[in-house]
Amino acid sequence: MHLVWYFDFVSPYSYLQFEAYPELVQSAQLRPVLFAGLLNHWGGKGPAEVPAKRLQTYRYTYWQAGQHGIEMTYPPAHPFNPIHALRLAIALDCRFDAIKTIFEFIWKEGRSVTDEWPALAAKFGLSAAAAGELVGAQRVKDALAANGRQAIDRGVYGVPTFDTGTELFWGLDATDMLLDYLENPGVFDEPEMRRIANLPVGAARKS
């Protein structure tokens, strides 16, 4: 089974899943996507865009980090624009170690990819200008855009998401279900699982 892991550095849940399940993440193809692009396509809002949900999200993810023994320090501002970080990951061939360095710069050290770009570039032995040239390359921009299109074509609507090729598992809290599915791919073949997969809509909000 070929796993793909869709993520965005802006997502604290992506950081938590990356840190909590490194072997699982390393077994997958790592695919950066712009979360905002997914939201725009599906007409959704990120948790940090809903005022009442924003504080709950920050508290819950920080608490979850503690439960998993993961060091976490929120960056100076959130949400932030992750596009240069995403492109940098692509320019560095989406290597696990490079993605880990970027995640930890943001979520472990609590630093800004916007205001401290030279410091992030230095983590890879690059000047700010050299890193800027990498992320500005057309092939890198095209690759990130292609990742987004592919994610949408697969039905990905949030990050982090694992794609098994047949099923999608969105969010940190779906990790155990993914692990169960990898052990027992027939888990969704149970009668009630099949029934709810085709459950009719009983009511819908007016647009």
Side-chain angles (χ1 to χ4, degrees):
M1 189 178 296
H2 179 67
L3 280 178
V4 176
W5 189 61
Y6 293 98
F7 71 94
D8 188 337
F9 292 112
V10 78
S11 164
Y13 291 104
S14 292
Y15 169 66
L16 292 177
Q17 193 171 55
F18 183 91
E19 289 290 320
Y21 300 94
E23 292 182 2
L24 181 62
V25 172
Q26 282 183 286
S27 73
Q29 181 179 354
L30 308 183
R31 198 163 292 172
V33 291
L34 186 63
F35 181 37
L38 302 182
L39 293 174
N40 288 340
H41 177 81
W42 299 110
K45 285 189 175 183
E49 294 179 289
V50 181
K53 195 174 184 180
R54 187 170 185 251
L55 177 59
Q56 173 73 7
T57 298
Y58 296 165
R59 285 175 170 171
Y60 182 66
T61 50
Y62 183 75
W63 177 83
Q64 278 278 50
Q67 296 300 297
H68 287 279
I70 297 169
E71 291 185 55
M72 187 179 201
T73 302
Y74 259 76
H78 190 272
F80 56 86
N81 187 343
I83 198 161
H84 282 173
L86 294 167
R87 289 176 179 169
L88 181 60
I90 290 172
L92 297 172
D93 300 319
C94 293
R95 299 193 319 267
F96 179 86
D97 63 300
I99 290 169
K100 182 177 178 65
T101 296
I102 298 170
F103 263 129
E104 292 188 349
F105 182 87
I106 298 166
W107 292 105
K108 184 177 180 180
E109 299 177 30
R111 302 174 75 172
S112 166
V113 293
T114 303
D115 298 334
E116 298 188 78
W117 179 250
L120 178 58
K123 296 275 188 180
F124 301 101
L126 298 168
S127 67
E133 287 183 14
L134 285 178
V135 302
Q138 193 61 47
R139 70 165 188 87
V140 171
K141 294 179 180 180
D142 291 345
L144 181 59
N147 285 354
R149 290 192 299 270
Q150 186 174 48
I152 288 168
D153 288 345
R154 286 290 300 127
V156 174
Y157 53 86
V159 289
T161 291
F162 273 104
D163 180 5
T164 70
T166 54
E167 302 289 346
L168 300 174
F169 295 83
W170 166 64
L172 175 67
D173 54 358
T175 312
D176 286 340
M177 185 166 66
L178 167 62
L179 294 172
D180 188 30
Y181 174 80
L182 294 176
E183 288 290 328
N184 174 28
V187 67
F188 296 143
D189 293 332
E190 298 173 11
E192 182 64 2
M193 284 288 196
R194 291 200 302 269
R195 187 183 77 86
I196 61 178
N198 297 289
L199 206 63
V201 175
R205 289 182 293 138
K206 292 181 180 180
S207 58

